[in-house]
Amino acid sequence: MASGLVRNGAKRFMSTAAAPASSVPAGARSGWWEAVQPAARDPILGVTEAFLADSDPKKVNVGVGAYRNDEGKPVVLECVRKAEQIIAGKQNMEYLPMGGLVKFNDLSVKLAYGDTAPVLEEKRVAAVQTLSGTGACRLFADFQKRFKPDSRIYIPVPTWANHHNIWRDARVEAHTFRYYKPSTRGLDFEGLMEDLKKAPEGSFVLLHACAHNPTGVDPTADQWKEMSQLFKSNGLFPFFDMAYQGFASGDTVRDAQAIRIFMEDGHQLACAQSFAKNMGLYGQRVGCLSVVCDNSQQAVNVKSQLQQIARPMYSNPPLHGAQIVTTVLSDPELKEQWYKEVKVMADRIIGMREALKSNLEKLGSSLPWKHITEQIGMFCYSGLTEDQVDRLTKEFHIYMTRNGRISMAGVTTGNVEYLANAIHEVTK
Amino acid sequence: MESFALKRIAAVASHLTPTAPPPQQQQALSMEATASAAAASVFDHLEQAPEDPILGITVAYNKDPHPGKVNLGVGAYRTEEGKPLILNVVRRAEERLLADRSKNKEYLPITGLADFNKRSAMLILGSDSPAVVEKRLVTAQCLSGTGSLRVGAEFLARHYGVKLVFLPTPTWGNHFKVFMNAGLAVKTYRYYDNKTRGLDYEGMLEDIGAAPSGSVILLHACAHNPTGVDPTPQQWEGIRQAIRNRGHLPFFDSAYQGFASGSLDKDALAVRTFVADGGECFIAQSFAKNMGLYGERVGALSIVSKSSGVATRVESQLKLVIRPMYSNPPIHGASIVALVLGDGDLFSEWTVELKGMADRIISMRHKLYDALRARGTPGDWTHILKQIGMFSFTGLNKEQVQFMTREYRIYMTLDGRISMAGLSLKTVPLLADAIHAAVTGAKA
């Protein structure tokens, strides 16, 4: 590592003592950041930090939503490894366009809307590659603020905590609607419809396409249809955050049914897709934002405006992850392999739900636990209180977010009994 | 928009979607016809945004079917054969990463790969920098230079008392929107002198002196984009004093370390002398050019503060900016950089490759200068030799540029900037012919 070679002329400035007073006025010497307060730790990512710092051998991480295999290890999908071999040594690393890899966008929206979706064949979808799901949501939120500055966003209660941060930083006025019903640990459909009926026309509504985070509670097809009708009659804009397509049920088509239902009803919706979980590409930051428009010219316009927002934020999105996804989705064999691997992940989680529930019942817990298997996707909203969660952490070295959300992907045949036992201990 | 704001050239580049590949056999929900009575889109009032003035050049270039076309637009390095270059050390680092099956793709922390952050900071500051030694430094991995600037700007808009940044005239076009979208007001200071095609040093000091105390001053650490005009070490000292005397906050944009002179340390001198005086500063680093990692978006934001206690709090607030923007940065490019910077052999080899790129560019400057002299092209073209880095501010005006594009298929930005990195021995004569024709007003 080259050390700081400094020419003699400048050497006198390299001493650690402050420069002579005449060249640095008093105001500048007090520093500008003294007033900066320490920010609160991120509630989700902070959990993993704490877990890593814990040396107890029995520790369990059911905090952040990243998939683990039955050995508790992160997984790189085989289809991804193969794709990386194909990509290696071939590509240059030139800048992508501001809207990202065109072929990637093309394949992403086909996955979301269906290969032969009319809106795609009519070229009515504006699609840009984004920094995973977060980036897609943020790009849309900034876009919403820019072109519909007086509009509101309606966010379900509860939701992924970062959703609030995103629309707040985009300076969009945020409201909430009821979603989860603690007494049933299921959907509060009446509350949802009541609250959304009060939303003014032109409001945007954030919907989790499948595997709601953090509750795992999804509407049924009929409920989605009713919602779709309400959105139509009341002029509400559906924004789908789809972070778990394929990961929830094991079937990519089934997991997109909410979007397909809304599309059938002619909605012009928008969708944020993430490949973090379903392709295990977390740190590669691969996602896609798509907006359904009236016609192809409008799609061109919208895409160009989205790019205008991306350019002063990061110029153009990262290459590697998008190349992986493109390689997997455009190769029939790799795509088939991907479908299988996604199903394996989804099935393992479903199996762990069953195991956790049966273990709790075996322990004689008097509380209802059927919500564990009724909820879907990576997370289980256990119903545990903050105090109970804190006890789990302090006494049993089990790490989860304080809202009682358990990442089922962190549950294994090796720790499910221990976890059930601990939950029973703090809830009996 | 400032006077040098670029309009895109006449070649229209629409964002064409690709031709759709044949439909795949796949289980799909049968779709009923979409309701034709759907209301018009809520985004019906949108207009198509103009092409990005810089990236739009490449779009137009790609659309041109003429075989002799030359792309001197976007600043990406090209070999003598006109091809993009992946550095050997990058290839080797990638191979190592690929072969290591123990590596996973988990989320990075919000502020990125710690090893990358540490080594990036040391690269620009020097490992014996007081900021490093005294731990008065926060570094966050960001999305290349753009992302580092934007995150820094957002932080300033939230936590800094003076929400005003001064940009040099001219500067990289995207600087304006980066700071404005973050919520800062933007003004300019004189920088480029049209008459001398060099630095307007007096004008620069005057404007810095007149700026409200505590303003943020954006400085190009080396190889000024688009002019290639850098202050001398003596002038940097004068600039440093002017900035510190007014209590301003310097924000360095370092996109060409090693790429300008061929020496990593020499290109970092301006940044290091500022840090050495004990004051605070922001630094945005990019590895797009000097490691050829363009599309992987690798960069870092460093904030040098007065004390290490402050550094911790600053880091926590940076996370609040980043999390709702993209959660955490991409892993691939940063892993490559960390490997190269952390391995003695790879690092040495990198410095050699870097010097190779810088030297080729310097040689292109000489070739172009010689070619213009040989043609007797009117004017003083020594600025091509004096300017440094990837770009040369030729002094050609908009009409001349448009002429060169139309008649000679030379693609470049309307402000007269050419990317020297896009030139080769083969294309220098064509460019010289084009410049000659444009300047003398000769028709093709």
Side-chain angles (χ1 to χ4, degrees):
Chain A
M1 179 79 205
S3 61
L5 299 169
V6 182
R7 296 202 298 241
N8 283 334
K11 204 163 184 184
R12 58 197 158 100
F13 297 109
M14 289 300 284
S15 70
T16 52
S22 61
S23 70
V24 182
R29 294 173 79 175
S30 63
W32 289 291
W33 316 119
E34 290 304 321
V36 171
Q37 295 304 311
R41 308 267 295 280
D42 184 277
I44 301 168
L45 302 176
V47 169
T48 294
E49 281 175 21
F51 168 81
L52 290 171
D54 186 335
S55 55
D56 190 291
K58 292 191 309 299
K59 64 180 181 177
V60 175
N61 187 359
V62 283
V64 75
Y67 181 78
R68 296 286 177 267
N69 61 20
D70 203 44
E71 285 77 50
K73 298 263 178 284
V75 170
V76 176
L77 300 189
E78 281 308 312
C79 65
V80 167
R81 288 201 192 281
K82 286 195 186 136
E84 283 199 301
Q85 297 285 350
I86 293 170
I87 293 165
K90 264 193 195 164
Q91 314 288 341
N92 60 53
M93 285 173 173
E94 294 294 281
Y95 292 125
L96 284 176
M98 290 180 281
L101 193 55
V102 169
K103 193 154 183 219
F104 165 81
N105 292 331
D106 212 39
L107 292 163
S108 286
V109 294
K110 286 201 159 94
L111 185 66
Y113 300 114
D115 285 346
T116 53
V119 290
L120 293 181
E121 304 198 327
E122 294 159 21
K123 298 196 196 306
R124 287 170 47 203
V125 178
V128 296
Q129 178 191 338
T130 56
L131 278 294
S132 209
T134 307
C137 287
R138 176 57 180 270
L139 203 58
F140 187 80
D142 279 358
F143 177 76
Q144 178 187 348
K145 181 62 184 179
R146 186 172 284 199
F147 293 102
K148 289 289 175 190
D150 302 322
S151 67
R152 303 175 175 187
I153 183 74
Y154 278 77
I155 298 180
V157 179
T159 194
W160 180 50
N162 204 26
H163 279 142
H164 286 281
N165 299 334
I166 290 169
W167 268 270
R168 180 204 61 222
D169 276 15
R171 304 190 201 287
V172 173
E173 185 186 321
H175 294 255
T176 58
F177 61 94
R178 280 169 285 171
Y179 189 85
Y180 177 72
K181 197 177 216 174
S183 54
T184 60
R185 293 186 173 95
L187 183 65
D188 182 359
F189 189 62
E190 293 77 30
L192 181 156
M193 293 298 278
E194 227 179 270
D195 287 349
L196 288 182
K197 276 182 184 136
K198 294 199 208 115
E201 186 183 350
S203 297
F204 291 70
V205 183
L206 170 71
L207 302 165
H208 297 227
C210 64
H212 180 272
N213 176 0
T215 69
V217 169
D218 285 349
T220 62
D222 284 337
Q223 287 170 329
W224 280 123
K225 284 180 182 142
E226 232 185 284
M227 286 165 66
S228 173
Q229 289 305 313
L230 172 66
F231 277 52
K232 266 180 86 172
S233 57
N234 288 25
L236 302 178
F237 186 102
F239 178 79
F240 282 96
D241 185 352
M242 183 154 69
Y244 299 100
Q245 188 183 9
F247 203 93
S249 69
D251 180 337
T252 56
V253 172
R254 197 159 139 215
D255 288 346
Q257 72 165 343
I259 292 180
R260 312 285 170 96
I261 287 168
F262 273 66
M263 294 294 292
E264 274 178 40
D265 285 348
H267 286 286
Q268 283 170 349
L269 47 84
C271 176
Q273 283 170 278
S274 166
F275 289 91
K277 286 86 173 172
N278 61 9
M279 241 191 243
L281 291 174
Y282 307 93
Q284 301 286 349
R285 317 311 292 129
V286 200
C288 179
L289 169 67
S290 53
V291 182
V292 177
C293 304
D294 282 334
N295 52 57
S296 59
Q297 180 56 51
Q298 203 183 83
V300 166
N301 296 351
V302 167
K303 178 167 173 155
S304 74
Q305 295 292 351
L306 290 171
Q307 290 176 175
Q308 289 278 302
I309 298 172
R311 173 59 157 158
M313 201 185 279
Y314 50 84
S315 279
N316 35 68
L319 177 62
H320 192 70
Q323 283 181 323
I324 293 174
V325 175
T326 303
T327 305
V328 169
L329 293 183
S330 57
D331 178 319
E333 271 184 45
L334 285 179
K335 193 172 179 191
E336 269 311 306
Q337 182 171 22
W338 174 56
Y339 283 141
K340 291 200 179 84
E341 291 188 274
V342 151
K343 191 163 189 322
V344 163
M345 291 194 285
D347 286 348
R348 194 185 89 67
I349 286 175
I350 289 167
M352 286 299 101
R353 287 182 179 278
E354 282 155 14
L356 181 60
K357 172 166 166 279
S358 70
N359 269 286
L360 282 163
E361 286 166 353
K362 259 192 325 206
L363 287 164
S365 174
S366 57
L367 299 170
W369 294 108
K370 67 175 168 59
H371 57 286
I372 294 180
T373 47
E374 282 173 358
Q375 291 165 4
I376 188 168
M378 195 174 289
F379 302 111
C380 163
Y381 222 42
S382 60
L384 292 166
T385 65
E386 284 180 354
D387 288 339
Q388 290 166 337
V389 170
D390 287 344
R391 277 190 65 195
L392 282 177
T393 307
K394 286 195 187 66
E395 297 172 33
F396 295 93
H397 305 273
I398 293 173
Y399 290 81
M400 64 177 74
T401 46
R402 291 184 84 226
N403 54 9
R405 183 192 86 165
I406 297 175
S407 173
M408 295 306 301
V411 181
T412 67
T413 51
N415 65 24
V416 64
E417 275 183 47
Y418 177 73
L419 178 63
N421 192 63
I423 291 174
H424 182 56
E425 284 300 309
V426 306
T427 56
K428 64 183 183 189
Chain B
M1 277 303 268
E2 298 300 317
S3 60
F4 78 90
L6 306 168
K7 290 184 205 160
R8 68 179 176 90
I9 61 177
V12 171
S14 66
H15 298 276
L16 295 177
T17 53
T19 54
Q24 310 236 0
Q25 302 300 94
Q26 200 222 34
Q27 74 264 55
L29 287 179
S30 65
M31 297 290 295
E32 300 165 56
T34 52
S36 57
S41 166
V42 298
F43 300 117
D44 195 40
H45 60 297
L46 260 65
E47 288 176 358
Q48 183 170 359
E51 280 287 354
D52 181 276
I54 301 170
L55 302 176
I57 302 294
T58 295
V59 173
Y61 167 86
N62 286 336
K63 293 196 72 190
D64 186 337
H66 195 274
K69 58 185 180 177
V70 182
N71 188 357
L72 302 179
V74 75
Y77 183 80
R78 292 288 176 268
T79 61
E80 175 56 37
E81 293 71 42
K83 299 259 180 292
L85 176 68
I86 296 195
L87 301 188
N88 275 332
V89 291
V90 167
R91 283 230 184 277
R92 282 168 56 194
E94 272 205 312
E95 279 162 22
R96 268 194 225 175
L97 290 171
L98 195 59
D100 185 356
R101 281 188 68 99
S102 75
K103 285 230 177 298
N104 59 50
K105 296 188 181 312
E106 295 295 285
Y107 292 125
L108 285 177
I110 298 174
T111 50
L113 192 60
D115 193 37
F116 165 83
N117 289 340
K118 194 178 82 171
R119 297 187 189 281
S120 288
M122 291 207 297
L123 185 70
I124 186 71
L125 297 174
S127 51
D128 58 350
S129 169
V132 173
V133 168
E134 294 160 20
K135 299 198 198 315
R136 294 185 285 110
L137 174 66
V138 173
T139 304
Q141 176 194 342
C142 293
L143 280 295
S144 208
T146 308
S148 305
L149 289 164
R150 178 62 179 268
V151 169
E154 294 271 346
F155 179 89
L156 289 169
R158 283 165 210 222
H159 300 290
Y160 187 60
V162 181
K163 302 194 198 304
L164 175 59
V165 61
F166 280 78
L167 305 176
T169 302
T171 192
W172 180 50
N174 201 26
H175 274 145
F176 283 85
K177 288 225 182 88
V178 168
F179 287 100
M180 280 162 51
N181 283 18
L184 297 173
V186 171
K187 289 199 161 129
T188 58
Y189 59 88
R190 280 168 284 171
Y191 189 83
Y192 179 71
D193 187 337
N194 252 317
K195 292 186 296 296
T196 63
R197 295 196 173 107
L199 180 66
D200 180 0
Y201 181 60
E202 295 306 324
M204 181 175 179
L205 289 187
E206 248 179 70
D207 290 348
I208 288 176
S213 178
S215 298
V216 180
I217 310 290
L218 179 88
L219 301 162
H220 295 228
C222 68
H224 180 272
N225 174 2
T227 68
V229 169
D230 284 350
T232 63
Q234 292 73 21
Q235 288 171 328
W236 270 122
E237 173 53 21
I239 293 164
R240 184 193 67 79
Q241 288 193 19
I243 285 177
R244 296 304 195 197
N245 281 339
R246 286 292 284 166
H248 293 328
L249 176 62
F251 196 147
F252 283 97
D253 185 351
S254 175
Y256 299 100
Q257 188 187 1
F259 206 93
S261 68
S263 157
L264 288 161
D265 290 319
K266 195 159 160 214
D267 288 347
L269 198 61
V271 173
R272 291 180 189 178
T273 49
F274 271 76
V275 172
D277 72 11
E280 298 181 326
C281 68
F282 278 43
I283 304 163
Q285 276 173 286
S286 166
F287 288 92
K289 286 87 173 172
N290 61 9
M291 256 203 226
L293 287 171
Y294 306 92
E296 299 297 352
R297 318 311 292 128
V298 199
L301 170 70
S302 281
I303 299 178
V304 176
S305 52
K306 281 268 163 205
S307 68
S308 56
V310 171
T312 316
R313 301 203 301 274
V314 164
E315 184 179 27
S316 72
Q317 291 290 350
L318 275 179
K319 289 180 185 174
L320 293 191
V321 169
I322 293 170
R323 175 65 158 153
M325 204 183 275
Y326 52 85
S327 281
N328 38 69
I331 190 169
H332 191 68
S335 306
I336 293 172
V337 174
L339 243 181
V340 172
L341 295 184
D343 177 307
D345 286 341
L346 287 177
F347 183 85
S348 298
E349 193 178 333
W350 176 48
T351 60
V352 171
E353 290 191 90
L354 196 45
K355 189 161 191 316
M357 290 195 286
D359 284 349
R360 195 183 88 69
I361 287 175
I362 289 168
S363 119
M364 287 301 105
R365 290 183 178 278
H366 285 275
K367 292 279 185 288
L368 179 61
Y369 175 78
D370 292 343
L372 289 169
R373 288 289 304 254
R375 283 158 181 69
T377 308
D380 176 4
W381 297 98
T382 55
H383 55 284
I384 292 180
L385 299 177
K386 289 189 223 154
Q387 289 162 4
I388 191 169
M390 195 175 289
F391 303 110
S392 174
F393 227 39
T394 54
L396 296 162
N397 63 39
K398 193 176 86 178
E399 286 71 33
Q400 290 166 330
V401 170
Q402 286 169 328
F403 168 81
M404 285 165 59
T405 305
R406 218 171 41 237
E407 306 294 336
Y408 285 84
R409 303 288 195 244
I410 308 281
Y411 285 82
M412 53 190 277
T413 47
L414 288 176
D415 56 0
R417 181 190 90 163
I418 52 175
S419 169
M420 300 302 300
L423 274 178
S424 67
L425 292 171
K426 272 200 5 238
T427 52
V428 161
L430 177 69
L431 177 61
D433 287 342
I435 292 175
H436 186 86
V439 167
T440 58
K443 295 298 171 203

